Amino acid sequence: QVQLVESGGGSVQAGGSLRLSCAVSGYSYRYSNSVMGWFRQAPGKEREGVAAMYEIGRSTYYADSVKGRFTISQDDAKNTIYLQMNSLKPEDTATYYCAAAKSVTMEWLLLRPGPYNYWGQGTQVSVSS
């Protein structure tokens, strides 16, 4: 069965960096139609997409709020997806989730939770000012 396990969260000061990892098992994200995404959810707020990777890692898509600061990448040998987060801001504070979608039909849906079939349990990120 599919398992997504996030790690790498923690507490940092504004301007700092963190790299989140998502270990994938029971699922091949290298299938041509598959999409991997990172989402986040702060208390009292809706879950929002941060970054997505598709076309076997050849294409990426980012939310405007993190563009230029966050980078999604993969290590196929380790079957792991990463989210490098630089220049962190207090508003980045949230629980971050890794997710996998079998197929996404339109680009704007890449950052919406609906198309995603599998989810990890999340890892907490706290950014202090």
Side-chain angles (χ1 to χ4, degrees), residues 10-59:
S11 299
V12 297
Q13 292 184 311
S17 299
L18 284 173
R19 188 168 87 157
L20 306 182
S21 298
C22 173
V24 182
S25 62
Y27 183 82
S28 178
Y29 61 79
R30 290 185 56 79
Y31 180 69
S32 61
N33 292 334
S34 295
V35 178
M36 298 299 299
W38 284 98
F39 291 75
R40 67 186 182 187
Q41 187 167 25
K45 295 186 177 181
E46 295 182 353
R47 187 169 299 187
E48 62 175 353
V50 172
M53 181 175 64
Y54 59 109
E55 296 183 338
I56 322 177
R58 294 182 296 176
S59 299

Side-chain angles (χ1 to χ4, degrees), residues 24-97:
V24 182
S25 62
Y27 183 82
S28 178
Y29 61 79
R30 290 185 56 79
Y31 180 69
S32 61
N33 292 334
S34 295
V35 178
M36 298 299 299
W38 284 98
F39 291 75
R40 67 186 182 187
Q41 187 167 25
K45 295 186 177 181
E46 295 182 353
R47 187 169 299 187
E48 62 175 353
V50 172
M53 181 175 64
Y54 59 109
E55 296 183 338
I56 322 177
R58 294 182 296 176
S59 299
T60 57
Y61 195 77
Y62 297 93
D64 289 341
S65 59
V66 307
K67 199 170 298 182
R69 300 188 298 121
F70 291 11
T71 304
I72 186 171
S73 62
Q74 66 189 132
D75 186 333
D76 294 337
K78 297 181 179 180
N79 215 38
T80 299
I81 306 297
Y82 300 99
L83 183 68
Q84 178 67 47
M85 305 186 294
N86 298 325
S87 301
L88 284 162
K89 305 174 181 179
E91 49 263 47
D92 295 320
T93 296
T95 300
Y96 283 72
Y97 299 88

